[in-house]
Amino acid sequence: IWECWTLLSAIAGFTSKILLSPIHLCDSFRNPALIAKMISTLDHISNHRFINFYDYGWREKEFRQYGYHFLPTKERVAKMREGIKIIQGFHSHDVFSFSGKYYNIDRAICSPKPLGKIPLWMGETNVPEMTENIVEFADVFNSMPVSLEGFKEKMVVLKNTCDKQNRNFDSLGKSLETQI
């Protein structure tokens, strides 16, 4: 698999209509402050065609192969949550600071800002903490390949979590990833 940011930048340069997005961009593989700047840059060079598909990462082997520390699932989800808050903060404040368990940002700047709101896609309902973050932050839920029955089961989990968090289930976009 090609490195996503390099490839997306190249594609942005020779296309003008297709939307650009990594799939399951792992929070632990790049600092979210840097990601915020990369998103803004790619959004500008693509004329606002970028979608942020963000995740906590789940392939332990991939973490180990590249020398990244593989935290327990709940911690990776909590770390991803901080990453989302940092990216959103960079895109909505002129100067941004953040102090968390995993990340600390001190009066950092992301300029220019993206051309508009960057859609946030997130996936998978197999970890309750992730589902809670999807309902809180995501514009679109994307399911990994699954049968239609499996997709319906995920929709029940999402609907229940939306109800618990007082989010309108219909305001959350739904996508079923498939393979051909």
Side-chain angles (χ1 to χ4, degrees), residues 116-130:
K117 183 187 183 311
I118 302 295
L120 178 60
W121 285 47
M122 298 172 75
E124 288 325 298
T125 59
N126 53 346
V127 175
E129 294 82 5
M130 182 61 174

Side-chain angles (χ1 to χ4, degrees), residues 17-169:
K17 294 181 182 178
I18 65 169
L19 299 177
L20 305 166
S21 180
I23 190 162
H24 300 281
L25 180 64
C26 180
D27 167 80
S28 293
F29 293 176
R30 293 171 187 85
N31 183 291
L34 176 61
I35 290 291
K37 291 184 71 72
M38 294 167 75
I39 288 170
S40 185
T41 300
L42 190 53
D43 193 55
H44 275 266
I45 66 174
S46 70
N47 196 26
H48 194 52
R49 293 184 286 137
F50 184 76
I51 296 169
N52 186 16
F53 194 143
Y54 213 61
D55 201 334
Y56 64 91
W58 54 272
R59 289 188 178 125
E60 183 174 1
K61 182 178 177 182
E62 185 177 27
F63 276 73
R64 303 271 185 241
Q65 287 172 326
Y66 286 92
Y68 295 110
H69 184 63
F70 190 75
L71 297 168
T73 300
K74 287 183 180 185
E75 288 187 59
R76 288 193 323 278
V77 173
K79 187 172 183 277
M80 175 208 66
R81 179 182 177 81
E82 286 188 13
I84 291 169
K85 289 182 175 186
I86 290 168
I87 293 166
Q88 290 177 339
F90 263 75
H91 291 167
S92 60
H93 295 86
D94 290 333
V95 178
F96 182 70
S97 295
F98 180 89
S99 181
K101 180 177 179 180
Y102 304 98
Y103 296 110
N104 289 290
I105 309 299
D106 185 28
R107 297 182 306 272
I109 297 168
C110 180
S111 181
K113 302 277 184 257
L115 294 171
K117 183 187 183 311
I118 302 295
L120 178 60
W121 285 47
M122 298 172 75
E124 288 325 298
T125 59
N126 53 346
V127 175
E129 294 82 5
M130 182 61 174
T131 306
E132 292 166 5
N133 281 284
I134 291 166
V135 169
E136 182 174 349
F137 295 111
D139 297 299
V140 176
F141 164 76
N142 180 76
S143 172
M144 291 176 67
V146 67
S147 68
L148 289 179
E149 187 57 41
F151 188 70
K152 288 177 185 176
E153 291 170 10
K154 291 179 183 190
M155 292 301 101
V156 169
V157 172
L158 277 175
K159 173 82 169 82
N160 290 339
T161 307
C162 282
D163 290 346
K164 287 179 189 171
Q165 292 183 213
N166 294 315
R167 177 169 182 179
N168 180 342
F169 178 69

